[in-house]
Amino acid sequence: MDNKDYVIIPQSIVEDKNLTSTDKLVYGIILRLTRSNGYCWASNQYIADILKIHPRTVSTCIRKLREMGYINSSKNKNDKFKTFRKISFDKEDEYIY
């Protein structure tokens, strides 16, 4: 099994009663996408397509995860001035290979 064929969700996330099941799945997808370099550039649409949910739902989940301190997100621009969102984690123990 390739290491990208599954999603790992830390126990602390699973047990957080302030998070919905969808919040937890979005967290797991983001965590999976950060495996190669510690951050991801995935759009809401990309994550929504994986989970078969609406991109607005992804946006709500990401905002909640950020507000609760589980993820960081920042806007960056490339050389063509296109804006990308970079999502990463503060804690090293959240970064799972």
Side-chain angles (χ1 to χ4, degrees):
M1 176 186 292
D2 184 281
N3 71 346
K4 294 184 180 183
D5 287 342
Y6 59 90
V7 173
I8 296 172
I9 302 173
Q11 194 65 30
S12 60
I13 299 296
V14 171
E15 292 177 354
D16 191 328
K17 293 180 181 179
N18 296 309
L19 296 174
T20 66
S21 297
T22 306
D23 295 331
K24 296 170 187 182
L25 287 172
V26 168
Y27 181 94
I29 294 299
I30 292 168
L31 190 58
R32 186 189 89 190
L33 294 171
T34 63
R35 285 189 186 140
S36 63
N37 56 13
Y39 59 88
C40 81
W41 298 97
S43 68
N44 291 347
Q45 185 65 58
Y46 182 79
I47 295 170
D49 289 346
I50 292 170
L51 295 175
K52 310 292 188 261
I53 59 177
H54 196 279
R56 192 173 303 153
T57 303
V58 174
S59 178
T60 300
C61 293
I62 288 174
R63 185 178 329 107
K64 184 175 184 180
L65 291 165
R66 187 180 62 244
E67 288 172 356
M68 293 182 71
Y70 284 119
I71 63 171
N72 297 314
S73 67
S74 60
K75 300 280 184 177
N76 296 312
K77 290 186 179 182
N78 67 8
D79 57 344
K80 295 179 182 176
F81 300 102
K82 185 172 180 180
T83 302
F84 294 93
R85 177 185 59 205
K86 180 179 178 180
I87 303 173
S88 61
F89 297 93
D90 267 341
K91 305 174 197 169
E92 279 187 32
D93 60 343
E94 299 293 359
Y95 185 67
I96 299 172
Y97 293 90

